[in-house]
């Protein structure tokens, strides 16, 4: 509902902009600043905003196609002290939809299997480390024309 120059928000949150990024609430913006500080101090790394996780893929049943269901968290990052990836939401109010998606997320994405050499987890390697020893063979590049329809 639009009231003058203010937008009515269902949960009374106030949209906030920091670093040119629009956050859904002051609470989420505050947490972003905290996480940026922790990343700068080396306590966390690989901070991602709005990471998306597929909970249920697209499927068909009785000639009807159902869209995929995704969970979009507020933040994702790697905690160096806990040696695991953290997926986090900042909620002032936990809706029934949020609670259901969180439950599906916890079921589909159990404990991590890769880390940074602690707790018996497989070591995480970068893409450069994985393919850095491949030969640079310019003869394998596509040089013909292409159509953006295939992109």
């Amino acid at each position: 509902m639009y009231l003058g120059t203010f937008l009515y928000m269902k949960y009374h949150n106030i949209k906030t902009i920091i670093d040119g990024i629009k956050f859904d609430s002051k609470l989420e913006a505050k947490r972003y600043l905290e996480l940026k500080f922790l990343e700068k101090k080396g306590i966390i790394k690989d901070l991602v905003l709005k990471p998306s996780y597929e909970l249920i893929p697209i499927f068909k049943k009785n000639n009807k196609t159902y869209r995929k269901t995704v969970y979009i968290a507020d933040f994702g990052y790697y905690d160096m002290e806990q040696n695991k990836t953290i997926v986090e939401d900042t909620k002032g109010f936990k809706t029934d939809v949020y609670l259901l998606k969180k439950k599906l997320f916890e079921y589909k994405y159990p404990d991590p299997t890769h880390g940074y050499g602690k707790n018996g987890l497989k070591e995480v390697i970068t893409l450069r480390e994985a393919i850095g020893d491949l030969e640079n063979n310019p003869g394998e590049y596509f040089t013909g024309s292409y159509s953006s329809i295939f992109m």
Side-chain angles (χ1 to χ4, degrees):
M1 170 185 226
Y2 186 77
L3 301 173
T5 58
F6 297 97
L7 184 62
Y8 171 76
M9 304 307 290
K10 185 174 181 179
Y11 299 107
H12 305 289
N13 55 331
I14 297 172
K15 301 244 184 214
T16 306
I17 298 174
I18 296 179
D19 294 341
I21 303 166
K22 188 181 206 178
F23 295 95
D24 290 333
S25 68
K26 285 183 180 180
L27 181 65
E28 184 180 347
K30 180 182 175 196
R31 183 61 179 152
Y32 168 72
L33 292 174
E34 292 168 353
L35 291 172
K36 275 187 55 174
F37 176 78
L38 293 173
E39 187 175 42
K40 186 175 182 181
K41 292 293 182 183
I43 297 168
I44 68 168
K45 68 183 201 173
D46 304 329
L47 177 61
V48 178
L49 305 179
K50 302 292 184 194
S52 178
Y53 300 89
E54 183 178 83
L55 300 175
I56 304 170
I58 295 171
F59 68 96
K60 290 184 179 188
K61 182 177 180 181
N62 299 328
N63 293 324
K64 181 177 179 184
T65 301
Y66 292 85
R67 292 186 298 167
K68 69 181 176 178
T69 301
V70 296
Y71 168 60
I72 302 172
D74 290 334
F75 306 104
Y77 55 90
Y78 190 84
D79 186 310
M80 300 298 287
E81 292 173 351
Q82 295 183 53
N83 195 39
K84 66 179 181 179
T85 299
I86 304 293
V87 177
E88 136 179 350
D89 259 314
T90 52
K91 298 281 183 236
F93 179 76
K94 295 180 180 175
T95 65
D96 289 340
V97 171
Y98 165 76
L99 293 172
L100 178 60
K101 284 187 174 186
K102 183 178 187 313
K103 188 175 183 178
L104 287 167
F105 175 83
E106 294 296 340
Y107 175 77
K108 186 163 183 183
Y109 298 97
D111 294 332
T113 58
H114 290 72
Y116 288 90
K118 296 180 186 173
N119 302 331
L121 298 176
K122 295 178 186 174
E123 186 71 26
V124 171
I125 63 171
T126 66
L127 181 60
R128 182 175 304 280
E129 290 170 330
I131 65 170
D133 61 340
L134 296 177
E135 286 184 30
N136 184 5
N137 187 347
E140 294 182 9
Y141 291 108
F142 179 73
T143 57
S145 62
Y146 65 93
S147 171
S148 60
I149 196 169
F150 298 110
M151 298 180 95

